[in-house]
Amino acid sequence: MKEDGSPKLLFENLDLTTLQSILWKNLHTQGPGRPIQYNPEWDLRALMIRQLLQIPYIKDLVKRLRRNTYLRNVCGYRDKTPTEAHFTQMKKRIGAEGFRIIEAYLRHEALKHRTHQPLAAKGLIQAACVDGTDLPAWSSRDPHNTRQGLGDPDARVGRGKKGFTLGYQSLFLIDIEGFPLSHVETSLNVNEKRLVAGLLDKVLGESIEVELLAGDSQFESGEVFGLLESHKIDYVIPWRKLKRRENPVDALSVKDRIDVEGPEYLRSVYHRLRAPAEGFIGRAKSRLAYQRLTWQGVDNACIHVCIVLSVAYAVCIAAYRIGRPELRQSVAYFA
């Protein structure tokens, strides 16, 4: 049987007052024009509930809100429910940058509550892992150019976890406890090495420091190593085995598809950091409908991931505020 957690408990322990200036962007309560019917904070809650309950489409979210009094009250709506177009307008009005600000605020609030990790609460992340995954596009291939999408021209064909697919990709930075620190989205045909600089800029620009970074062998390049050294970040990245090249004896080397070989202490660090990163991506896919992108365009892909991470941060915040820190990653408890 399900425990006592619920979406209502989640939002009761989530304070969005600081975000009013972002949520009310380009809206007014006085003067000429149509009056505001719905508080934009209610709309944000509805979009978060969509990911929390894994509701497939916005039109399905609208139907659930109309039929379910409990969900309407959790969001803040009473007798009336916004239309599908209302959420589309809200998304365009706030934009990708606005949702990034919302996500960043919730991330910092979640970090502050990690009392068992006092350094992380102050923005000092001692060890983290960089890992990426594909995000299938809501589109088909263009018959005139099969490398891109038909309805979504920003989507590209690239190599995903299960072969070539059409869509986008996210590169995540995740700490040793499986807590996401940052992300960046782009088309699937872009090499992940090119995303590391932008990912670090977003993290370091938010007063978060990282001392050690782990990643798989696809990040093995002089450019990435030089970038990390310029930021004074140590790294544990295995070298690929190439013909006519001898890898350094004090570094990790790829042994097979999963395992690596080299100094035992580096192997322990590598596996200890890779496991939480893969665990978070698995939870995002299975519990937060990460791969269920129903919007088009790279900016909308970014907004989608921002909402997914905002729910993850909200769960962490609520778990600490109800005195149950062991539930900080349990999305199912609040669903």
Side-chain angles (χ1 to χ4, degrees):
M1 294 181 63
K2 188 181 183 301
E3 295 188 52
D4 295 333
S6 64
K8 181 179 180 181
L9 181 64
L10 176 67
F11 290 116
E12 283 178 347
N13 290 277
L14 190 65
D15 184 11
L16 301 176
T17 306
T18 308
L19 300 173
Q20 294 302 313
S21 61
I22 301 297
L23 295 174
W24 283 87
K25 178 183 177 183
N26 296 332
L27 293 179
H28 60 276
T29 56
Q30 297 179 351
R34 186 174 182 178
I36 303 301
Q37 285 185 291
Y38 309 106
N39 189 322
E41 183 177 327
W42 305 344
D43 301 333
L44 178 61
R45 291 180 182 179
L47 291 177
M48 294 175 68
I49 280 182
R50 181 197 170 201
Q51 300 303 136
L52 186 67
L53 302 183
Q54 304 189 56
I55 300 174
Y57 303 101
I58 293 293
K59 64 179 181 180
D60 296 322
L61 172 63
V62 172
K63 291 179 182 178
R64 289 281 293 272
L65 291 173
R66 287 175 180 173
R67 299 171 182 175
N68 194 321
T69 305
Y70 170 77
L71 288 183
R72 286 203 308 272
N73 291 334
V74 168
C75 294
Y77 307 116
R78 298 305 177 192
D79 299 330
K80 294 183 179 181
T81 304
T83 63
E84 183 178 354
H86 175 81
F87 288 105
T88 302
Q89 294 168 0
M90 178 256 192
K91 180 166 56 69
K92 289 182 179 179
R93 178 174 54 80
I94 296 178
E97 187 60 31
F99 278 96
R100 277 196 175 277
I101 295 174
I102 294 171
E103 176 209 341
Y105 167 76
L106 293 175
R107 174 167 53 251
H108 282 283
E109 287 297 307
L111 283 172
K112 291 178 183 178
H113 284 80
R114 299 173 68 186
T115 53
H116 67 291
Q117 288 282 351
L119 294 179
K122 294 298 183 181
L124 176 59
I125 308 299
Q126 292 178 290
C129 180
V130 59
D131 197 7
T133 187
D134 58 297
L135 183 60
W138 195 43
S139 178
S140 59
R141 296 194 188 186
D142 188 342
H144 302 292
N145 183 5
T146 56
R147 294 183 179 181
Q148 68 178 24
L150 178 62
D152 187 354
D154 289 345
R156 293 291 186 274
V157 174
R159 186 183 294 277
K161 297 296 183 183
K162 298 182 179 179
F164 286 93
T165 185
L166 175 69
Y168 303 95
Q169 62 179 319
S170 293
L171 187 64
F172 294 101
L173 185 65
I174 304 165
D175 75 357
I176 196 170
E177 288 192 338
F179 184 88
L181 299 170
S182 184
H183 65 97
V184 62
E185 280 71 43
T186 188
S187 300
L188 193 54
N189 64 335
V190 178
N191 194 304
E192 287 187 348
K193 297 185 187 72
R194 300 181 179 180
L195 306 180
V196 177
L199 185 70
L200 290 179
D201 287 342
K202 292 182 184 300
V203 171
L204 302 178
E206 296 178 4
S207 300
I208 295 178
E209 298 182 16
V210 179
E211 293 185 344
L212 175 67
L213 187 68
D216 56 25
S217 59
Q218 64 182 329
F219 297 103
E220 182 247 308
S221 73
E223 182 180 353
V224 173
F225 293 163
L227 174 68
L228 296 176
E229 290 171 359
S230 67
H231 288 294
K232 298 182 179 179
I233 299 175
D234 201 0
Y235 52 86
V236 179
I237 298 175
W239 289 56
R240 295 164 293 174
K241 287 188 175 180
L242 302 177
K243 292 182 179 180
R244 301 177 183 177
R245 186 183 78 171
E246 292 186 5
N247 294 342
V249 295
D250 59 344
L252 295 178
S253 297
V254 175
K255 182 178 181 181
D256 51 38
R257 186 173 179 271
I258 298 177
D259 204 3
V260 294
E261 58 185 4
E264 187 60 32
Y265 76 97
L266 288 181
R267 292 183 70 248
S268 299
V269 172
Y270 178 77
H271 290 303
R272 180 65 181 88
L273 290 174
R274 288 280 295 164
E278 294 176 355
F280 165 76
I281 293 177
R283 289 194 304 275
K285 292 179 179 179
S286 62
R287 292 295 185 182
L288 292 171
Y290 165 81
Q291 289 193 307
R292 194 173 290 170
L293 174 64
T294 59
W295 298 327
Q296 296 178 340
V298 66
D299 285 343
N300 283 328
C302 176
I303 291 174
H304 170 78
V305 180
C306 285
I307 297 173
V308 169
L309 293 192
S310 294
V311 177
Y313 299 141
V315 167
C316 181
I317 294 170
Y320 279 101
R321 287 185 174 174
I322 65 175
R324 301 284 302 278
E326 68 276 9
L327 298 174
R328 62 185 178 275
Q329 296 179 342
S330 181
V331 179
Y333 180 82
F334 294 96

